[in-house]
Amino acid sequence: MGDAILRVQGLSKRFDSEEVLRDVSFEVRKGDAKVFIGPSGTGKSTLLRCLNRLVEPDSGQVWLGDEEITHASDIDGVRRRMGMVFQNFYLFDHLTALRNVEIGLVKVLKMPRREARDFAMSELARVGMDRFADKYPAELSGGQAQRVSIARSLAMNPEIMLFDEPTSALDPELTGEVLEVMRRLAAGGMTMLVVSHEMEFVYSVASEVLFMEGGVIVERGTPGQIRDDGATGDAGQGAPRQFQRTRAFLRRLDG
Ligand SMILES: Nc1ncnc2c1ncn2[C@@H]1O[C@H](COP(=O)(O)OP(=O)(O)O)[C@@H](O)[C@H]1O
Ligand SMILES: [Mg+2]
């Protein structure tokens, strides 16, 4: 199994008559930053939600390290080891930024309060939010709130971080600060699985880009492989057909 942090084999999920995930397989090794892209409604969120057990897959298997977690009973344990950041950061509105980060340390990890406070502060500093420790979510911009929610996940010292379109609910001028935090995490060796269409970011951090359509991983390759350099494309006879669907999608994103 080598140094696979996460291994997904033949994952399928159906909602009523709709097959949302079909036989999805991939693995994430230590230090990888795997990025999923693809049209809306393609099953990307459902995939991430199956991994941390917000959704129960119909078939297939998921391993976290050496442990199969597909039907693990210790869901909280799984979620501690796998941090998840959503499009809409779910912070507690009645708690300060610091308390939002601290609460899991005290309640879940049973860390003494003073130690938890210091540790939470260092996690806030890691995302550049220590100056805002005493602010409530309503006093923060969307980008700042998302950085706090990243700090909250990081504080649990997860083996892998899942990011589901973490900037897609933000105003364009606020996406940069969140992507910068993620870029630093990736550079620091954090293992991550990301859904994002911020392609400049994706090209700079992804160890592999996986293009999903209709619940299937259709094409996958390194940024260098999938990126359309303009020289090939699909215009000419005999042009390479590899990554054609990914490139067509990326052109629609640009357009
Ligand atoms: N809890 C649910 N119940 C029923 N259908 C769902 C549920 N969650 C997602 N779906 C459907 O599954 C499909 C894939 O959704 P999703 O995973 O959110 O796609 P993506 O994240 O790629 O946009 C969509 O058609 C969506 O409507
Ligand atoms: Mg989604």
Side-chain angles (χ1 to χ4, degrees):
M1 187 171 318
D3 52 358
I5 298 271
L6 183 75
R7 202 149 58 92
V8 175
Q9 186 63 50
L11 211 64
S12 295
K13 177 66 186 177
R14 172 183 285 279
F15 285 119
D16 304 318
S17 60
E18 192 190 355
E19 215 172 0
V20 175
L21 293 176
R22 281 188 285 169
D23 196 22
V24 171
S25 301
F26 64 93
E27 68 175 40
V28 186
R29 293 171 163 271
K30 198 168 167 51
D32 275 353
K34 300 257 179 192
V35 180
F36 281 85
I37 61 172
S40 175
T42 274
K44 305 178 301 295
S45 293
T46 303
L47 171 61
L48 265 57
R49 295 163 71 86
C50 281
L51 300 182
N52 83 342
R53 301 289 307 286
L54 289 164
V55 167
E56 191 79 20
D58 295 333
S59 56
Q61 291 161 297
V62 181
W63 284 267
L64 186 56
D66 291 335
E67 188 185 338
E68 189 185 342
I69 59 159
T70 325
H71 305 289
S73 53
D74 181 13
I75 293 183
D76 289 339
V78 167
R79 292 190 187 147
R80 271 204 298 282
R81 296 172 61 193
M82 201 173 339
M84 180 133 175
V85 174
F86 300 88
Q87 178 177 333
N88 299 299
F89 24 91
Y90 298 102
L91 295 175
F92 295 113
D93 288 332
H94 64 294
L95 298 180
T96 63
L98 182 64
R99 290 277 288 136
N100 263 283
V101 178
E102 194 188 282
I103 190 164
L105 297 170
V106 173
K107 300 239 161 152
V108 181
L109 299 187
K110 310 292 180 202
M111 200 181 269
R113 186 67 186 274
R114 177 179 292 273
E115 193 185 325
R117 172 147 300 216
D118 290 347
F119 193 65
M121 194 58 109
S122 70
E123 293 297 330
L124 283 176
R126 207 168 158 193
V127 299
M129 284 298 293
D130 44 329
R131 286 186 298 124
F132 300 88
D134 295 328
K135 299 282 189 201
Y136 287 86
E139 301 173 292
L140 302 174
S141 73
Q144 291 170 337
Q146 190 60 298
R147 283 149 68 197
V148 172
S149 85
I150 292 173
R152 181 179 54 182
S153 285
L154 290 175
M156 306 304 279
N157 195 24
E159 291 157 52
I160 179 169
M161 287 285 290
L162 312 181
F163 292 92
D164 189 4
E165 306 213 48
T167 62
S168 61
L170 301 177
D171 291 335
E173 71 272 20
L174 302 177
T175 61
E177 61 190 78
V178 173
L179 295 175
E180 184 52 34
V181 164
M182 293 171 65
R183 208 187 304 267
R184 280 209 309 273
L185 284 176
M190 175 63 75
T191 308
M192 21 204 256
L193 189 60
V194 182
V195 179
S196 175
H197 297 106
E198 296 289 342
M199 293 313 295
E200 196 186 319
F201 162 79
V202 172
Y203 291 139
S204 71
V205 306
S207 49
E208 187 178 43
V209 180
L210 301 95
F211 174 60
M212 246 177 105
E213 205 169 39
V216 177
I217 298 174
V218 175
E219 293 170 344
R220 50 194 288 175
T222 63
Q225 288 172 323
I226 64 146
R227 199 170 190 168
D228 196 344
D229 57 10
T232 49
D234 56 359
Q237 289 265 322
R241 300 188 69 81
Q242 233 190 343
F243 306 116
Q244 213 172 42
R245 288 166 74 177
T246 306
R247 288 173 182 178
F249 171 73
L250 292 173
R251 280 195 295 274
R252 288 200 297 280
L253 269 189
D254 280 341

